[in-house]
Amino acid sequence: METVLLYAFIVVVTFCFMEFMAWFAHKYIMHGWLWTWHKDHHDPNLKEGHFFEKNDMFFLVFAIPSAAAYIIGLATPHLWLLFVGIGISIYGLVYFLIHDVYIHRRFKWFRQLDNPYSRAILRAHGKHHSKKSKEDCESFGLLVVAPKFFKSRKERQKS
Ligand SMILES: [Zn+2]
Ligand SMILES: [Zn+2]
């Protein structure tokens, strides 16, 4: 029983850590030296009508530590690493569903979610996309949202 709880804990911790990693990579790498890969996500004109963005290559990059954790976790006595891999995969899936399907609507799989948290996520990421430039962007995380985005733009302007 304890082992099951421990493994579940590892999955949850990894998931939370991935939000930090995604924030960090977005702020310092994607808006840093790898801006050339991320640029077309901020400027759809650069996609020239293609479905894929250069930005999608980051999915492949994040799949590497995940795959490594699966392989090492299964091939060595360090089974806990398998659950690190599972945590990374679940985060990747959630990121894809929220960021690519829900926010950017690359697939019309579900309708607009409508609750205070989903609206806050949408506003925060919308704010991130309000600039097409490498500099001066804000809201680099996805699931962790600044409290101000729980208010509508109108409410924010008042205060
Ligand atoms: Zn960005
Ligand atoms: Zn986006």
Side-chain angles (χ1 to χ4, degrees), residues 119-138:
R119 271 185 296 231
I121 288 182
L122 209 55
R123 289 187 195 117
H125 199 69
K127 182 80 184 169
H128 180 72
H129 276 282
S130 64
K131 298 244 165 63
K132 284 186 182 174
S133 58
K134 180 179 168 187
E135 289 87 18
D136 310 320
C137 285
E138 60 172 299

Side-chain angles (χ1 to χ4, degrees), residues 7 9 11 30 41 46-47 49 58 71 73 84 95 99 101 108 111 115 127 132-133 145-146 159:
Y7 290 152
F9 181 71
V11 171
M30 296 154 89
H41 185 59
L46 296 171
K47 279 168 52 172
F58 287 107
I71 293 166
V84 170
Y95 196 97
H99 178 259
V101 181
K108 312 269 177 278
R111 285 162 171 272
N115 62 64
K127 182 80 184 169
K132 284 186 182 174
S133 58
V145 174
S159 53

Side-chain angles (χ1 to χ4, degrees), residues 10-23:
I10 292 174
V11 171
V12 172
V13 169
T14 305
F15 183 91
C16 297
F17 180 68
M18 282 306 291
E19 170 69 10
F20 168 76
M21 279 308 295
W23 168 83

Side-chain angles (χ1 to χ4, degrees), residues 48-88:
E48 297 169 338
H50 294 291
F51 176 78
F52 283 108
E53 303 170 354
K54 255 194 196 164
N55 187 54
D56 293 326
M57 291 200 282
F58 287 107
F59 274 108
L60 302 179
V61 172
F62 279 111
I64 296 170
S66 176
Y70 279 105
I71 293 166
I72 299 169
L74 288 170
T76 71
H78 304 287
L79 186 65
W80 62 275
L81 273 169
L82 173 66
F83 297 91
V84 170
I86 292 172
I88 300 175

Side-chain angles (χ1 to χ4, degrees), residues 3-41:
T3 340
V4 174
L5 280 179
L6 176 67
Y7 290 152
F9 181 71
I10 292 174
V11 171
V12 172
V13 169
T14 305
F15 183 91
C16 297
F17 180 68
M18 282 306 291
E19 170 69 10
F20 168 76
M21 279 308 295
W23 168 83
F24 181 87
H26 189 185
K27 189 172 166 87
Y28 295 105
I29 298 174
M30 296 154 89
H31 283 257
W33 59 281
L34 274 179
W35 172 246
T36 43
W37 284 16
H38 188 53
K39 198 161 58 174
D40 65 353
H41 185 59

